[in-house]
Amino acid sequence: EAGVAQSPRYKIIEKRQSVAFWCNPISGHATLYWYQQILGQGPKLLIQFQNNGVVDDSQLPKDRFSAERLKGVDSTLKIQPAKLEDSAVYLCASSFQRGQADTQYFGPGTRLTVL
Amino acid sequence: GNSVTQMEGPVTLSEEAFLTINCTYTATGYPSLFWYVQYPGEGLQLLLKATKADDKGSNKGFEATYRKETTSFHLEKGSVQVSDSAVYFCALSTGNQFYFGTGTSLTVIP
């Protein structure tokens, strides 16, 4: 079974530029998550999708971050414009259902450096 | 609000030593509790989980018991190996929200 795919793996941009990350979840997984992991901290949930609908985006800085999952499969997370404090690893995860006990499967992450 | 607090690292142990990584949580209701592990150069993966009070999760020789009375989910292993060197994250889920601790780095030396 193929795992969660993410691209690119690394990205370096200057502040005020835009960047987009792509995620393809495990086939058949209805729920998709985006996390931000700043160095030395645990992952922080930004947004959760169930199929192509948003379940929770309360931690997403909506003035600069956006995410979509148009066909209920792959997803894109965008930052526009980027700030220095956005430097982090962006993790995508998926789970079969949206249950409290469901296991999340994580991709390798995209490491973003904002200069 | 909901949160997870876990023991700060780094932790360095000799092979075959006993491991405990402490994790306590704050949550409304009855969350599910997890331990995730990140091996060097790899992504996060589930190590074990427990979904209700007094449940014990176990995998690869690791164990953790969901203690509601002490709001804890401490990770233990009786005899660590070099291959257990990794970063360990405690986490809780309320369904709509998922909270991770800051991670504990473990290094096991031969």
Side-chain angles (χ1 to χ4, degrees):
Chain A
E1 176 180 83
V4 176
Q6 289 188 249
S7 67
R9 292 295 308 276
Y10 304 91
K11 189 73 177 179
I12 300 174
I13 62 172
E14 295 189 349
K15 59 183 179 183
R16 291 188 290 273
Q17 286 187 323
S18 302
V19 64
F21 313 124
W22 174 82
C23 171
N24 187 253
I26 292 173
S27 177
H29 280 195
T31 311
L32 185 146
Y33 312 80
W34 282 104
Y35 289 85
Q36 180 192 58
Q37 185 175 16
I38 293 172
L39 187 64
Q41 299 181 18
K44 171 188 165 185
L45 182 63
L46 295 175
I47 188 167
Q48 180 183 168
F49 292 94
Q50 175 76 359
N51 297 310
N52 60 348
V54 175
V55 172
D56 187 277
D57 62 357
S58 57
Q59 299 296 308
L60 188 73
K62 298 180 188 64
D63 57 333
R64 298 184 300 106
F65 286 65
S66 64
E68 59 184 14
R69 192 185 184 199
L70 291 175
K71 297 181 179 178
V73 181
D74 53 352
S75 176
T76 303
L77 177 70
K78 297 179 182 177
I79 307 176
Q80 180 180 7
K83 293 185 175 182
L84 296 177
E85 58 261 37
D86 298 332
S87 293
V89 176
Y90 290 85
L91 298 168
C92 180
S94 69
S95 63
F96 184 65
Q97 298 285 358
R98 194 173 64 84
Q100 178 174 300
D102 277 14
T103 298
Q104 294 185 28
Y105 296 84
F106 285 81
T110 297
R111 183 177 298 277
L112 173 67
T113 302
V114 182
L115 303 175
Chain B
N2 299 320
S3 66
V4 174
T5 302
Q6 67 179 98
M7 172 177 149
E8 289 193 16
V11 174
T12 302
L13 295 174
S14 297
E15 207 165 21
E16 299 183 2
F18 184 85
L19 169 71
T20 299
I21 300 178
N22 291 336
C23 172
T24 58
Y25 68 91
T26 302
T28 53
Y30 301 93
S32 293
L33 301 174
F34 303 78
W35 278 100
Y36 278 81
V37 59
Q38 187 168 31
Y39 297 104
E42 299 184 17
L44 276 164
Q45 56 186 275
L46 178 71
L47 180 59
L48 53 84
K49 66 181 179 183
T51 59
K52 61 183 186 296
D54 300 324
D55 265 3
K56 179 186 283 188
S58 61
N59 186 26
K60 299 182 181 179
F62 290 88
E63 293 183 342
T65 301
Y66 189 146
R67 302 284 189 201
K68 188 163 178 60
E69 64 275 12
T70 54
T71 62
S72 65
F73 193 55
H74 304 321
L75 183 68
E76 296 182 336
K77 186 174 186 181
S79 175
V80 294
Q81 305 301 311
V82 172
S83 57
D84 294 327
S85 296
V87 181
Y88 293 81
F89 292 90
C90 185
L92 75 83
S93 170
T94 62
N96 282 345
Q97 273 294 334
F98 211 82
Y99 302 88
F100 279 84
T102 54
T104 302
S105 175
L106 169 67
T107 300
V108 180
I109 54 177

